[in-house]
Amino acid sequence: MQLSLLKSKLHMATVTQTELTYHGSVSIPADLVEEAGLFPHEKVLVANCQTGQRGETYVLIGEPGTRQIQLNGAMARLAQPGDRVIIMAFALMTPNEAKSHKPQVIVLDEENRIIERI
């Protein structure tokens, strides 16, 4: 049996930009991608904390240090700049692997600075 568990999470990221005419994805600065243990093109679930809307897309690597979170393509309809979102990736694992699994959770402030690592 395989279980789907939380692998990585950017909690309370602030959307800084949206680009409807760009191919769908979420652009995340390289430093935040690394901190959260995400990978380029990895599938993620994005949840808007203001509206409750959710959508799946994939990670694009943004410029490190910019703190810019940009929703692209159809995902641009999910939020507007200033909205807080949770970006989550999940992994399949066996029950034995799940027993020792610890997700990488990064909590961000309103300017996408890391304020806590869980």
Side-chain angles (χ1 to χ4, degrees):
M1 171 180 23
Q2 294 282 301
L3 304 170
S4 181
L5 276 73
L6 180 68
K7 178 185 85 70
S8 305
K9 178 166 86 166
L10 289 171
H11 188 71
M12 298 301 286
T14 301
V15 174
T16 56
Q17 248 180 296
T18 60
E19 181 57 57
L20 187 60
T21 60
Y22 191 83
H23 298 289
S25 60
V26 57
S27 299
I28 305 169
D31 52 322
L32 292 179
V33 167
E34 186 175 326
E35 285 282 344
L38 293 166
F39 291 91
H41 312 293
E42 183 173 7
K43 180 172 125 177
V44 291
L45 174 65
V46 180
N48 185 320
C49 296
Q50 272 75 17
T51 66
Q53 288 185 290
R54 293 172 167 234
E56 288 183 346
T57 191
Y58 61 93
V59 173
L60 281 184
I61 306 301
E63 196 65 35
T66 62
R67 301 194 313 262
Q68 300 295 305
I69 304 289
Q70 180 174 319
L71 297 178
N72 302 307
M75 291 301 293
R77 298 278 192 209
L78 183 79
Q80 51 191 325
D83 283 357
R84 304 294 294 270
V85 296
I86 301 169
I87 302 169
M88 299 165 276
F90 298 86
L92 293 175
M93 55 191 73
T94 66
N96 279 341
E97 291 170 321
K99 288 177 185 176
S100 62
H101 173 68
K102 301 277 189 272
Q104 288 181 254
V105 178
I106 305 300
V107 181
L108 303 174
D109 70 7
E110 61 281 342
E111 293 183 21
N112 292 326
R113 292 179 296 225
I114 297 171
I115 58 173
E116 187 177 3
R117 290 172 179 85
I118 300 173

